[in-house]
Amino acid sequence: DAGVTQSPTHLIKTRGQQVTLRCSPKSGHDTVSWYQQALGQGPQFIFQYYEEEERQRGNFPDRFSGHQFPNYSSELNVNALLLGDSALYLCASSFGGGAGDEQFFGPGTRLTVL
Amino acid sequence: TQLLEQSPQFLSIQEGENLTVYCNSSSVFSSLQWYRQEPGEGPVLLVTVVTGGEVKKLKRLTFQFGDARKDSSLHITAAQPGDTGLYLCAGGGSNYKLTFGKGTLLTVNP
């Protein structure tokens, strides 16, 4: 049983560009949450997708957007990249998505913005 | 805004020593989770505590949730090099998001 998978593993972009990150949840899970983890920090909640809709959003600008597909996989899009967007982007899946539910994290995508 | 503060930020000890890391907040959480994250990987859930005063044991790890559900601690007995990693606490509230602390980076030297 595959766990949460993310692609790509690493990505280098320049300021102003746009990026799309992908996540496939663990089998049986219907909810995907995205987190940004800057170096030396804990993960920060970006948003959560459930039933193909954004259910909750953290304190991130509209440059960060997402999508969930009928097969529960998800994409995170970031437009107009800034240097400060350099971070590890983590996807977590769960069933139901409650904050007390167990979330399984993927290995993350390391984004570097030059 | 709910914040979780973890201490210490860094901890380097010898194999066999005991240690405690702390997670504190001014806010009440309905649940609190502890994760361990190793380099190049995502966090892995160790435990979830939901009841004030709750104590859970996982082999050499003991987790405690404060009576007021605002703080938690993780105690490791007889630490081993395999315990090395970033320990993160995360609080869950009435919404769907988890609020993470900055973590405690533990190094256990052989």
Side-chain angles (χ1 to χ4, degrees):
Chain A
D1 175 26
V4 179
T5 59
Q6 293 187 242
S7 64
T9 55
H10 295 84
L11 203 52
I12 299 175
K13 292 285 189 179
T14 57
R15 281 178 297 174
Q17 285 190 310
Q18 177 264 343
V19 68
T20 298
L21 311 181
R22 296 176 176 81
C23 171
S24 290
K26 182 178 170 65
S27 178
H29 285 181
D30 59 4
T31 304
V32 173
S33 301
W34 286 92
Y35 292 83
Q36 179 195 66
Q37 187 175 24
L39 201 60
Q41 304 291 318
Q44 296 289 310
F45 177 79
I46 302 175
F47 42 52
Q48 185 183 87
Y49 276 84
Y50 174 72
E51 293 188 343
E52 301 180 50
E53 299 220 346
E54 183 183 294
R55 179 157 69 174
Q56 180 140 14
R57 189 178 186 90
N59 294 325
F60 280 81
D62 292 345
R63 298 187 296 109
F64 290 76
S65 63
H67 189 77
Q68 186 179 35
F69 299 94
N71 67 352
Y72 306 118
S73 67
S74 177
E75 288 182 350
L76 164 65
N77 300 293
V78 187
N79 294 322
L81 285 167
L82 303 174
L83 296 179
D85 294 332
S86 295
L88 180 67
Y89 287 85
L90 295 163
C91 165
S93 75
S94 60
F95 181 75
D101 296 335
E102 182 173 5
Q103 297 193 32
F104 289 80
F105 282 82
T109 294
R110 173 72 62 184
L111 172 65
T112 302
V113 182
L114 302 177
Chain B
T1 302
Q2 295 180 313
L3 294 174
L4 280 168
E5 294 188 5
Q6 290 190 241
S7 61
Q9 188 176 355
F10 301 96
L11 190 55
S12 180
I13 62 172
Q14 294 301 120
E15 183 176 1
E17 292 183 0
N18 301 331
L19 67 114
T20 302
V21 298
Y22 300 92
C23 175
N24 296 294
S25 175
S26 59
S27 302
V28 174
F29 289 96
S30 59
S31 67
L32 200 133
Q33 300 179 348
W34 284 92
Y35 291 82
R36 183 171 72 207
Q37 185 177 22
E38 299 187 24
E41 299 182 10
V44 175
L45 181 67
L46 298 173
V47 77
T48 300
V49 286
V50 297
T51 305
E54 183 176 3
V55 177
K56 281 192 174 180
K57 292 189 176 183
L58 184 66
K59 297 184 180 178
R60 294 178 294 101
L61 279 60
T62 301
F63 305 86
Q64 185 163 8
F65 200 13
D67 290 342
R69 291 186 293 147
K70 293 182 179 181
D71 55 85
S72 181
S73 64
L74 159 59
H75 182 79
I76 301 178
T77 303
Q80 299 176 0
D83 295 327
T84 293
L86 179 67
Y87 288 82
L88 295 159
C89 66
S94 58
N95 51 30
Y96 299 100
K97 75 173 193 176
L98 284 175
T99 299
F100 280 85
K102 292 184 177 181
T104 293
L105 186 60
L106 172 65
T107 302
V108 182
N109 302 298

